[in-house]
Amino acid sequence: MPDSFPRPILLAHRGDNTHAPENTLPAFTQAIQNGADGVELDAKLTADGRVIVIHDGTVNRTTDGKGDVASFTLEAIRKLDAGSWKDPKFAGTKIPLLEEVFESIGREKLINIELTNYYTLPDTLTEKVCELIRRHNNARQIIFSSFKSRNLKIASRILPGVPRGLLAAPGLLGLWARSFGFMFGDYQALHPHISNTSREQIQRAHRVRRRIHVWTANSPEEIHRLRDWGVDGFFTDDPASAAKALGR
Ligand code: G3P
Ligand code: MG
């Protein structure tokens, strides 16, 4: 990860999802305007193999459509309104292609691409995302993350220089990932849930020269606590208030 970034790195979770519809271009541009060092997004494949950005396995919650993301072609999914559910002023906002996010963010800020093919494995999401990064020549601004180690293994084979963060689910479900999975795997960072983050865990990761990026920190108390523990970065739903809490 480039040393030029401030510590802790402030990443907008699904963009600035407090003030704009999550995982859309308005959310990403607003995140940067509101002081984020970068954005986190959820990448998935359409039925015809295009990389788009949406969190859930269905379009039901965040668009005016219904059905599994994987059942839509790009043309069909682009007809959906991904903005009105948040606020009528975002009517007509589309589910973005990953390439469009690259274009709108520019080359300076970080982009954490979460590989979220959790409902469609095995597929070629990771290979396709790597191909787009190669074509765009922007590997130096990317961090990969996933709850599935398989995705991160594929990414390390294709683009070994791009840092990889292993996501760990909260509680017992993520116990293996937070311990053996992370320590014996080929990862530059652990991405634990805030409820499973401690000062000792951050120190352990630093002893082996790895990083901890925590999801999701929103209140000033959480942000101050993580900063005081020496966290390397965190994901936040509201970059403007997180930046304020950090005195930026
Ligand atoms: O990367 C942190 C966070 O995005 C992981 O959970 O469900 O919001 O993608 P989720
Ligand atoms: Mg995510």
Side-chain angles (χ1 to χ4, degrees):
M1 209 145 309
D3 288 333
S4 50
F5 286 99
R7 198 155 152 270
I9 287 176
L10 199 168
L11 294 164
H13 181 227
R14 311 180 196 173
D16 183 345
N17 78 73
T18 298
H19 301 105
E22 65 179 56
N23 279 321
T24 64
L25 296 185
F28 297 130
T29 47
Q30 210 149 311
I32 301 306
Q33 280 163 14
N34 284 344
D37 301 311
V39 301
E40 185 264 0
L41 58 81
D42 300 292
K44 283 188 179 57
L45 286 181
T46 60
D48 48 347
R50 301 296 298 275
V51 182
I52 53 162
V53 178
I54 182 168
H55 178 269
D56 297 0
T58 74
V59 300
N60 303 1
R61 180 178 60 90
T62 57
T63 76
D64 58 349
K66 280 218 173 331
D68 292 343
V69 170
S71 70
F72 283 82
T73 60
L74 179 65
E75 193 188 350
I77 213 162
R78 297 279 275 186
K79 292 200 174 111
L80 303 181
D81 178 341
S84 294
W85 70 276
K86 182 78 177 174
D87 189 305
K89 74 178 177 202
F90 294 109
T93 303
K94 305 284 175 216
I95 293 172
L97 283 160
L98 181 60
E99 300 146 83
E100 291 175 319
V101 182
F102 288 171
E103 290 300 332
S104 84
I105 295 276
R107 294 185 169 263
E108 298 307 315
K109 302 293 178 180
L110 285 173
I111 305 175
N112 179 163
I113 302 176
E114 183 183 344
L115 300 158
T116 67
N117 46 356
Y118 305 128
Y119 317 98
T120 54
L121 278 167
D123 65 9
T124 56
L125 173 71
T126 306
E127 288 87 341
K128 293 223 163 89
V129 169
C130 288
E131 176 55 34
L132 290 173
I133 294 167
R134 273 203 174 135
R135 214 183 301 156
H136 208 78
N137 194 22
N138 66 337
R140 54 168 296 282
Q141 72 179 141
I142 306 291
I143 312 171
F144 286 126
S145 66
S146 190
F147 289 101
K148 290 285 174 198
S149 56
R150 175 187 183 273
N151 287 327
L152 299 174
K153 272 196 194 104
I154 296 171
S156 79
R157 233 181 23 237
I158 306 174
L159 290 174
V162 173
R164 296 170 295 281
L166 180 65
L167 273 161
L172 274 180
L173 263 184
L175 184 60
W176 191 86
R178 287 192 300 274
S179 51
F180 296 104
F182 175 55
M183 288 316 253
F184 294 106
D186 182 16
Y187 310 109
Q188 289 66 47
L190 177 67
H191 292 192
H193 188 259
I194 189 165
S195 62
N196 302 114
T197 305
S198 66
R199 189 196 291 273
E200 292 69 34
Q201 176 198 46
I202 293 169
Q203 287 169 346
R204 269 198 305 278
H206 288 173
R207 275 200 290 275
V208 291
R209 302 235 176 100
R210 296 187 185 190
R211 303 173 61 101
I212 302 274
H213 302 143
V214 175
W215 54 287
T216 306
N218 289 319
S219 72
E221 294 74 25
E222 290 168 335
I223 289 163
H224 292 155
R225 188 174 75 230
L226 291 169
R227 181 197 54 194
D228 295 347
W229 287 350
V231 79
D232 302 284
F234 58 83
F235 302 90
T236 187
D237 294 312
D238 187 348
S241 52
K244 192 166 164 224
L246 289 172
R248 294 188 188 163

